[in-house]
Amino acid sequence: MELDLFVRYGPALLSGFGVTILCWIVGSLGGLVLGFALACLYRFGPRPLRWLIQAYVEVIRGTPFMIQLFILYFGGPHFGLLLTPVQAGIASFIIYGSPYFAEIFRSGFNAIPKGQIEAARCVGLSEGRILFRIILPQMLVPTTAPLTNFFIILTKETAILSVVTVPELLYETQTMASETFTFVEPFLVLSLFYWLMVIGTSWLGDKVERRVTRHLRRA
Amino acid sequence: MNFSFDVIWHNLPYMLAAARWTLLISVGGMAISLVWGVFLCAARISRGPFLSRIAALYISFFRGVPLLVQLLIFYYMLPHVGLDLPAVAAAILAVGMCSAAYTAEILRGALQTIPRGQTEAALALGIPTLSLWRRILVPQAIRIGLPSLTNELILLVKVSSLASVVGIGELTRISQNITGETYRPLEIYVAAAAIYFLINVILSALGRLAENRLLVG
Amino acid sequence: MGDITTEQPIIEIRNLSKHFDDFEALRDITLDVHRSEVLCLIGPSGSGKSTLLRCINFLEAYDGGEVRLEGELIGWKSAGAPPRKPLSGEALRRQRQHIGMVFQQFNLWPHLTALENVAEALIHVKGLPKAEAMTKARAALAKVNLSDKEANFPANLSGGQQQRVAIARAIAMEPSVMLFDEPTSALDPELVGEVLGVMKQMAAEGMTMVVVTHEMGFAAHVADRVAFLEGGRLVTCAPPADIFGREPDDPRVNAFLKTYRERNVV
Ligand SMILES: Nc1ncnc2c1ncn2[C@@H]1O[C@H](COP(=O)(O)OP(=O)(O)OP(=O)(O)O)[C@@H](O)[C@H]1O
Ligand SMILES: [Mg+2]
């Protein structure tokens, strides 16, 4: 393997990895927050709002990420929304992920026995307190595994951002490949980077899961 | 801002024609995924440690690397190893090989829900392993896994848009081309989204129909 | 409330009715519960016992009639014919603090320890400082003989212990009445005694209690009065001696109790 190649392109690859991580973390955390808000609105909001949210979930889940990205990035200027590639990438990531997160949280809500919430009402706990003290901590139990899983799926979706020239990992890798006429080495390194992200995420997910299920283990 | 339905109307025939390629890639990919997935699943749960390890490695690689990267690798690598496939074939192969990793896991999950007693009963009757798989286990696993498999197919419809990157004239690529000529990205991409959505609605309805059929049968 | 005479019932239920869509779960129930009284609700499955209990603390919004706690209308802003406006969340929470409830399925919060389960509402509803809340919570746990289990999560408590924590959680709030919905029905037989023991002790200390139960022994020996429900109606409400006597007046009560007599429970 030609090492000097990596000396030359190392910084670019690393910066690409950085951009990938940035888009992934900001985009997926944004999607998580939006998804949670949607799930709450779905649960507590009025009925017409529910239909709206349901429609949003179906439409976003029924269309390719790439098309959503194109609508935002290329179509955005037509309604006055001029975004840089990174901005468009992150924004579309948030939109793309939110319905999946919303569905995970929605089933999480349903997994909590109604009686526990009634018991909380009986002692006079406020609805807000019930949400944050009774429902949320327990919701982490059934949702941690699917959340981790979806974070992992999202790591890979970041590659699509290269199509709108976001200078992320795949973009930099392709640049390197085309400039040096090498193929195997750059793509091996790229696979390694993604693999690292996946391993890291599932390690973290395991940790979180052990933490949030602490109370269920029998002594 | 003015949203022109005219632009959509004029270009709809081209887009619908391109959607056939989208369908071909996703359905073709699914076919490969199913066949290859069954073998992978069998290897994964086989007693041979070597085979099982290889299958596990395959599954974790194909699930761990972005499909777009796999597609590029297939597209650029196959000619290198002397396999000169048309681009569409390469895309279908890439999509199918990747999806097989997921299908294998879906089937493995489904197999685990089939009571162990059935296998034991078959073995006790002296039914050979191959027919046990072909006639008893796989059909049930597919039936149990059908909702997940329908989901997988819908996923493939969406990921087929990645094939645009290697220049295949499926729906996304054609939409890009039309946009290049008309400078109306908003209209065209919204129309493309609508077509994808429609395809998926139809496919999931078919999936539910198949589920009901299989449950009755 | 001023002058509370011993005559004024602590809970007054007047012409109470409750529908689930078209189904009439409760019909024209009128019933009083007096201070320090133990009232047992018995009746066949589906007769509306749980629904009646849940109307008292407005877990079910009743649609006709009134429920009053120490004279104050529960749940609705004003008495009178529907449609009525429900109280604000804040006002309803204030009322519910005075009504403790114990469920068949315990409904402890599994991610909190026994002590945290009991202290939660003391801190966040009553607004007690943490130290004081802990002292109170420990006292409540001591009352149900669980001082040594305060650090356990519910998963590490037996059913009987979980139910006693649930009782402690309710009594720590110092409610004026306690509602029990089949508190021992989810327990293994050998654990029933420890829960009933705690309840007997509470009765002896003068707690006002409304208890839905299938434990006819408890109803016969601890209750001051027993109410029999069937098909959403109150059939009779009388001292246990009248209900469990050899020949109760009402044939429906008789038929219901027959199954228990055959098992020599009463
Ligand atoms: N949320 C609800 N929606 C519709 N019907 C209900 C609801 N809750 C109760 N019911 C109906 O109201 C009737 C009375 O129910 P309730 O739970 O009060 O009976 P119960 O006397 O407590 O019976 P059990 O001894 O089995 O607990 C039943 O027929 C039940 O099906
Ligand atoms: Mg009941």
Side-chain angles (χ1 to χ4, degrees):
Chain A
M1 219 182 265
E2 294 139 276
L3 268 177
D4 54 318
L5 260 185
F6 283 100
V7 176
R8 203 138 45 90
Y9 283 91
L13 288 182
L14 277 181
S15 121
F17 189 48
V19 173
T20 290
I21 297 262
L22 173 84
C23 292
W24 173 56
I25 289 187
V26 178
S28 46
L29 286 185
L32 180 101
V33 171
L34 180 56
F36 183 68
L38 288 174
C40 284
L41 286 176
Y42 187 89
R43 190 181 160 87
F44 301 111
R47 189 159 296 194
L49 193 62
R50 283 181 164 213
W51 294 331
L52 222 62
I53 291 172
Q54 192 74 50
Y56 172 85
V57 167
E58 294 299 331
V59 167
I60 301 291
R61 292 207 304 181
T63 50
F65 176 52
M66 207 189 256
I67 292 288
Q68 295 166 15
L69 180 64
F70 286 176
I71 291 179
L72 209 63
Y73 182 63
F74 296 117
H78 284 243
F79 45 93
L81 194 66
L82 261 171
L83 297 173
T84 66
V86 173
Q87 287 170 338
I90 291 178
S92 57
F93 228 68
I94 293 174
I95 293 172
Y96 170 71
S98 58
Y100 297 92
F101 283 117
E103 289 291 294
I104 293 174
F105 286 125
R106 197 156 67 112
S107 61
F109 272 131
N110 294 338
I112 294 170
K114 221 168 130 259
Q116 284 185 30
I117 294 163
E118 287 187 343
R121 293 202 174 120
C122 281
V123 291
L125 288 178
S126 68
E127 294 301 313
R129 183 79 194 159
I130 292 176
L131 180 62
F132 284 101
R133 177 71 163 166
I134 309 297
I135 298 179
L136 274 192
Q138 293 195 70
M139 222 162 89
L140 292 176
V141 176
T143 55
T144 304
L147 284 179
T148 308
N149 202 12
F150 191 60
F151 272 110
I152 289 176
I153 290 175
L154 286 181
T155 58
K156 292 172 284 166
E157 305 283 19
T158 56
I160 294 173
L161 300 183
S162 65
V163 179
V164 294
T165 70
V166 172
E168 48 68 78
L169 189 53
L170 178 58
Y171 185 83
E172 297 294 353
T173 309
Q174 280 180 296
T175 308
M176 175 178 173
S178 63
E179 286 177 8
T180 60
F181 302 105
T182 52
F183 191 81
V184 178
E185 295 90 344
F187 273 83
L188 264 178
V189 172
L190 167 117
S191 305
L192 188 75
F193 274 127
Y194 281 110
W195 184 72
L196 275 179
M197 278 167 77
V198 171
I199 296 285
T201 312
S202 53
W203 177 82
L204 200 68
D206 268 3
K207 277 256 156 178
V208 173
E209 192 163 5
R210 291 190 67 76
R211 177 68 215 258
V212 298
T213 55
R214 210 173 27 150
H215 61 277
L216 295 176
R217 275 191 289 282
R218 310 208 53 151
Chain B
M1 174 202 131
N2 57 331
F3 192 93
S4 155
F5 284 97
D6 264 5
V7 176
I8 296 178
W9 185 245
H10 281 306
N11 291 293
L12 203 57
Y14 307 110
M15 297 179 74
L16 287 178
R20 288 193 315 222
W21 288 102
T22 293
L23 268 179
L24 178 71
I25 295 170
S26 40
V27 172
M30 193 67 209
I32 293 178
S33 167
L34 267 180
V35 175
W36 188 216
V38 168
F39 282 105
L40 265 181
C41 171
R44 177 79 183 79
I45 61 179
S46 72
R47 295 242 170 67
F50 182 68
L51 214 55
S52 160
R53 209 84 43 83
I54 294 273
L57 195 70
Y58 179 99
I59 290 171
S60 89
F61 175 78
F62 278 87
R63 297 211 307 174
V65 174
L67 179 58
L68 182 53
V69 172
Q70 293 173 31
L71 209 62
L72 291 173
I73 293 180
F74 261 76
Y75 187 69
Y76 291 117
M77 288 279 262
L78 285 185
H80 271 282
V81 296
L83 215 71
D84 218 352
L85 287 180
V88 177
I92 293 177
L93 202 59
V95 165
M97 299 276 281
C98 172
S99 168
Y102 293 89
T103 298
E105 289 295 277
I106 292 171
L107 293 178
R108 192 162 71 99
L111 280 176
Q112 274 164 359
T113 66
I114 299 176
R116 174 108 192 95
Q118 286 191 23
T119 304
E120 282 165 5
L123 293 179
L125 285 171
I127 294 175
T129 316
L130 198 63
S131 353
L132 167 72
W133 270 81
R134 208 163 53 85
R135 305 193 51 92
I136 298 175
L137 296 181
V138 173
Q140 283 194 79
I142 288 181
R143 182 183 303 190
I144 295 167
L146 197 62
S148 310
L149 292 173
T150 309
N151 260 344
E152 185 64 21
L153 177 59
I154 287 171
L155 208 74
L156 291 194
V157 171
K158 292 190 281 173
V159 301
S160 70
S161 63
L162 299 182
S164 63
V165 175
V166 293
I168 294 166
E170 46 65 74
L171 182 51
T172 299
R173 182 65 180 207
I174 293 302
S175 303
Q176 284 174 302
N177 293 352
I178 297 173
T179 301
E181 289 163 18
T182 60
Y183 302 106
R184 308 296 299 210
L186 187 62
E187 286 86 347
I188 297 301
Y189 289 132
V190 166
I195 295 175
Y196 277 113
F197 185 66
L198 209 68
I199 292 176
N200 285 336
V201 167
I202 293 171
L203 286 181
S204 65
L206 287 179
R208 243 170 288 134
L209 205 70
E211 253 168 73
N212 291 340
R213 276 288 169 75
L214 282 180
L215 281 184
V216 173
Chain C
M1 242 151 277
D3 174 31
I4 300 172
T5 63
T6 43
E7 278 83 44
Q8 191 198 8
I10 192 161
I11 298 175
E12 297 159 277
I13 300 168
R14 294 280 171 276
N15 310 108
L16 181 73
S17 66
K18 168 72 190 169
H19 294 255
F20 292 109
D21 299 320
D22 287 342
F23 178 75
E24 190 174 43
L26 292 177
R27 179 173 198 176
D28 201 26
I29 304 246
T30 295
L31 187 65
D32 286 339
V33 184
H34 297 276
R35 198 168 291 277
S36 294
E37 184 180 35
V38 176
L39 176 76
C40 279
L41 297 178
I42 64 171
S45 179
S47 57
K49 307 179 295 290
S50 300
T51 306
L52 174 56
L53 208 62
R54 292 160 61 85
C55 283
I56 297 178
N57 62 1
F58 215 65
L59 277 182
E60 301 290 355
Y62 54 94
D63 33 47
E66 299 170 13
V67 176
R68 288 178 186 277
L69 178 72
E70 311 202 51
E72 190 181 323
L73 186 69
I74 294 285
W76 301 108
K77 276 194 175 137
S78 61
R84 303 183 271 195
K85 281 212 174 78
L87 285 177
S88 69
E90 186 61 42
L92 185 59
R93 280 200 290 282
R94 193 176 44 71
Q95 290 184 338
R96 281 183 177 154
Q97 284 177 48
H98 301 290
I99 310 171
M101 184 157 189
V102 173
F103 301 83
Q104 181 175 349
Q105 298 300 337
F106 328 139
N107 291 340
L108 291 181
W109 303 310
H111 60 303
L112 304 182
T113 63
L115 186 65
E116 287 167 341
N117 261 282
V118 180
E120 174 68 22
L122 293 175
I123 299 172
H124 293 282
V125 178
K126 288 218 153 165
L128 298 185
K130 194 151 182 226
E132 194 184 336
M134 290 303 167
T135 314
K136 274 220 153 121
R138 289 205 169 90
L141 281 177
K143 259 214 149 80
V144 297
N145 309 319
L146 280 176
S147 295
D148 52 331
K149 300 284 184 198
E150 64 169 52
N152 285 36
F153 285 111
N156 289 318
L157 293 171
S158 75
Q161 290 167 338
Q162 287 187 56
Q163 192 59 298
R164 284 186 282 145
V165 173
I167 293 175
R169 175 172 70 181
I171 60 176
M173 295 294 283
E174 297 170 338
S176 343
V177 292
M178 285 278 293
L179 312 176
F180 294 83
D181 193 356
E182 303 195 25
T184 57
S185 295
L187 297 178
D188 292 338
E190 74 269 23
L191 300 178
V192 169
E194 63 189 55
V195 172
L196 289 183
V198 166
M199 290 170 64
K200 270 183 204 163
Q201 188 197 330
M202 288 167 68
E205 287 170 7
M207 174 62 80
T208 310
M209 295 161 58
V210 183
V211 185
V212 174
T213 188
H214 291 293
E215 292 292 331
M216 292 306 150
F218 181 85
H221 297 118
V222 183
D224 297 299
R225 281 186 305 152
V226 175
F228 180 83
L229 265 73
E230 194 181 69
R233 295 167 194 245
L234 182 64
V235 175
T236 178
C237 181
D242 298 353
I243 301 272
F244 298 111
R246 278 299 111 177
E247 277 303 319
D249 297 338
D250 198 294
R252 286 169 293 183
V253 185
N254 220 353
F256 174 72
L257 289 178
K258 202 163 161 253
T259 54
Y260 288 91
R261 287 222 184 80
E262 280 161 4
R263 286 190 279 146
N264 280 329
V265 183
V266 179

